[in-house]
C-alpha cells in the first residue's frame, strides 16, 4: 500500500506523540479526529503504531497504574475510572489491577487522611470534619470501607 505524503506525515506525528509517553488508542483516535483525519487514516495509524510497538495497550495500562498510584497517589477506584475513560477493555483493567499494590494503597490513604485532617484543624464540629475527610478521600479514589476503617 502506498502512503500519501499527508498520511505519512500524520503517522510520523503520531509516532512522536507516542514516543513522548505511553498513549491509549483512545488518545490517538481523539487527536487524529481533532486533526480531521478520516476513519481509514485513523485505522491505518492505529494498526501501524501497534505493529511498530509505539502503541501497546497493556504497557499503557501498566504505566497509567504506576504513575497515578506512585506520583499522583490516587486510590484504586480513581485509577479504575481513569482507565475506563480511556476506553480500556474491562478484562485488561481487571487483569492489571490484580497486581495493584494493596499495601501501598493503604499507605497512600493514610497519607491523604493525615494531610486533610491537618488542613481541617480549625474545624470544631467533629461530625463535619469527618464528613469533609470522607468526601475528600472518596474523591482521591479510595473505597468507603477502607476510609471508614480509619475512624
Amino acid at each position: 500500500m502506498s502512503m500519501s505524503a499527508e498520511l505519512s506525515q500524520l503517522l510520523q506525528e503520531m509516532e512522536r506523540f507516542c514516543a513522548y509517553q505511553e498513549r491509549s488508542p483512545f488518545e490517538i483516535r481523539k487527536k487524529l479526529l481533532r486533526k480531521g483525519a478520516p476513519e481509514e487514516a485513523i485505522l491505518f495509524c492505529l494498526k501501524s503504531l501497534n505493529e511498530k510497538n509505539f502503541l501497546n495497550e497493556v504497557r499503557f495500562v501498566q504505566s497509567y497504574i504506576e504513575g497515578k498510584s506512585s506520583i499522583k497517589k490516587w486510590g484504586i477506584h480513581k485509577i479504575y475510572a481513569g482507565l475506563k475513560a480511556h476506553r480500556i477493555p474491562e478484562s485488561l483493567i481487571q487483569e492489571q489491577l490484580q497486581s495493584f499494590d494493596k499495601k501501598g494503597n493503604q499507605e497512600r490513604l493514610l497519607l491523604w487522611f493525615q494531610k486533610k485532617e491537618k488542613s481541617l484543624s480549625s474545624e470544631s464540629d467533629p461530625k463535619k470534619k469527618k464528613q469533609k475527610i470522607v468526601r475528600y478521600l472518596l474523591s482521591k479514589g479510595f473505597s468507603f470501607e477502607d476510609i471508614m476503617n480509619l475512624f
Side-chain angles (χ1 to χ4, degrees):
M1 171 182 168
S2 89
M3 267 198 297
S4 70
E6 194 176 302
L7 188 56
S8 177
Q9 183 183 350
L10 212 50
L11 182 58
Q12 281 183 336
E13 201 175 313
M14 292 302 102
E15 286 174 355
R16 283 193 303 274
F17 185 59
C18 289
Y20 173 69
Q21 77 180 44
E22 292 297 336
R23 305 287 180 181
S24 69
F26 178 68
E27 284 177 288
I28 301 299
R29 176 176 286 283
K30 242 175 40 178
K31 189 163 183 80
L32 289 169
L33 283 171
R34 274 197 310 270
K35 292 183 161 297
E39 187 62 24
E40 306 82 57
I42 293 172
L43 292 174
F44 175 80
C45 284
L46 286 170
K47 184 175 183 275
S48 181
L49 291 169
N50 265 316
E51 287 169 355
K52 295 178 178 179
N53 209 20
F54 279 100
L55 193 59
N56 181 315
E57 222 169 17
V58 172
R59 207 173 55 216
F60 168 77
V61 172
Q62 290 169 341
S63 170
Y64 189 90
I65 291 171
E66 178 60 31
K68 299 304 182 192
S69 63
S70 66
I71 297 165
K72 297 271 191 185
K73 309 277 188 238
W74 285 3
I76 196 166
H77 297 290
K78 190 166 183 172
I79 292 171
Y80 174 86
L83 289 169
K84 289 300 281 184
H86 277 274
R87 313 282 200 278
I88 301 297
E90 180 71 28
S91 58
L92 179 57
I93 295 173
Q94 292 301 332
E95 175 191 313
Q96 293 301 316
L97 284 178
Q98 291 302 314
S99 61
F100 187 74
D101 179 10
K102 305 287 188 267
K103 181 176 178 281
N105 194 52
Q106 282 303 115
E107 290 168 4
R108 286 186 293 279
L109 173 59
L110 196 55
L111 179 104
W112 286 121
F113 174 79
Q114 291 165 343
K115 184 176 182 178
K116 189 63 177 176
E117 191 177 45
K118 188 176 179 184
S119 77
L120 294 173
S121 59
S122 62
E123 178 62 70
S124 57
D125 183 349
K127 190 175 179 185
K128 275 187 183 175
K129 185 175 185 174
K130 182 178 178 180
Q131 287 174 341
K132 287 178 180 182
I133 291 171
V134 169
R135 235 188 342 266
Y136 178 75
L137 294 174
L138 285 170
S139 78
K140 291 292 181 186
F142 299 97
S143 76
F144 185 73
E145 184 184 338
D146 287 346
I147 295 168
M148 294 315 289
N149 286 337
L150 294 174
F151 293 98

